[in-house]
Amino acid sequence: MSSAPGKSAASAQPKVGALIRARRRQLQMTLQELCDAAGISVGYLSQVERDHATPSLGTLAQIARSLDVGVDYFIATPSMEDGLTRAGERNRFSVDGSSIVYERIAADFTGNVLSSFILHVPPGYKSETVSHEGEEILYLLEGSITQRLDGEEMALSAGDSLHFRGNRPHSWSNDTKETARLLWTGTLPMFRSRAERPALRSSRADEKITGTKLTKERP
């Protein structure tokens, strides 16, 4: 289908929320089931699916994993088969609707457990509160952010770092008037290598076909 007059081809592409909703329905999952699997609230996921909220890359990774896909199922991301990256030459990308710009610096190979990005965080940005498995390390390269961890608030400036378990509720924001730049590294799976990407078929769909389990009505 061609795009409407005056709109670019990129703007005609489905947004993240619509893609999440379509994949969830393909797997015959309710909103509650996906929220339970991804560790987010129903209210927040409902906003995301209606494109009233934009998830951070970490939250999108939790949603993607619960839907048995990689983040690159929802957004175009640079391939990283080679672990060597050069300053000023890395491809940048963002989640549709988000003001954060990401530079991917971790390689893509079978069995890798680390994800790593350089984040460019604009003034006024505030993330959602999340918790998940694994661990994270933040290292401020430039500027400052306010990190909230288990209800404790702390200011991080250039040169500061923080290492914590992902299951502790956390969020962060840039409350300054300058863009912050930080290195984020974590064990939360983001992407799958080509060798690890299965055909997009759901065990839930199999259950419906074989009649072994009644499916729930989708909201």
Side-chain angles (χ1 to χ4, degrees):
M1 182 180 295
S2 61
S3 59
K7 291 186 178 182
S8 67
S11 66
Q13 296 299 316
K15 292 188 175 182
V16 170
L19 290 171
I20 291 173
R21 181 172 60 250
R23 176 61 177 162
R24 173 176 66 80
R25 289 178 174 177
Q26 180 186 16
L27 297 182
Q28 301 167 7
M29 296 180 76
T30 64
L31 277 169
Q32 187 63 63
E33 287 173 332
L34 179 53
C35 288
D36 290 344
I40 56 179
S41 70
V42 171
Y44 179 70
L45 178 59
S46 178
Q47 288 186 322
V48 169
E49 287 197 352
R50 289 180 289 135
D51 289 309
H52 293 168
T54 302
S56 65
L57 191 62
T59 298
L60 185 59
Q62 293 172 240
I63 294 171
R65 188 181 186 193
S66 301
L67 293 174
D68 197 29
V69 292
V71 168
D72 41 2
Y73 183 83
F74 301 110
I75 58 175
T77 58
S79 176
M80 284 289 295
E81 294 180 353
D82 187 347
L84 175 65
T85 66
R86 301 288 189 184
E89 298 179 2
R90 286 183 286 267
N91 291 325
R92 299 185 178 192
F93 67 97
S94 61
V95 179
D96 185 30
S98 174
S99 56
I100 292 187
V101 175
Y102 299 88
E103 295 181 44
R104 187 178 178 188
I105 61 175
D108 180 15
F109 53 84
T110 301
N112 69 299
V113 296
L114 290 177
S115 296
S116 192
F117 303 89
I118 293 175
L119 280 63
H120 300 254
V121 188
Y125 176 85
K126 184 176 182 180
S127 78
E128 65 276 20
T129 299
V130 297
S131 60
H132 52 78
E133 64 179 66
E135 54 190 295
E136 298 185 23
I137 296 177
L138 301 179
Y139 181 85
L140 265 291
L141 300 169
E142 193 175 291
S144 63
I145 64 168
T146 300
Q147 176 75 32
R148 296 167 186 86
L149 185 62
D150 263 345
E152 180 184 356
E153 189 171 290
M154 61 196 81
L156 302 179
S157 299
D160 294 342
S161 65
L162 180 65
H163 185 191
F164 59 94
R165 293 184 184 278
N167 61 3
R168 301 173 65 186
H170 54 278
S171 66
W172 48 276
S173 60
N174 181 354
D175 303 321
T176 74
K177 296 181 180 180
E178 303 293 333
T179 296
R181 199 163 60 95
L182 63 93
L183 173 65
W184 179 94
T185 300
T187 55
L188 179 66
M190 295 278 183
F191 308 94
R192 296 185 178 192
S193 69
R194 291 185 178 87
E196 294 174 315
R197 292 170 188 165
L200 297 180
R201 184 169 183 177
S202 154
S203 59
R204 292 175 181 271
D206 292 340
E207 288 167 351
K208 182 176 182 181
I209 293 171
T210 60
T212 57
K213 182 178 179 180
L214 293 177
T215 60
K216 297 181 180 180
E217 182 179 356
R218 298 187 301 272

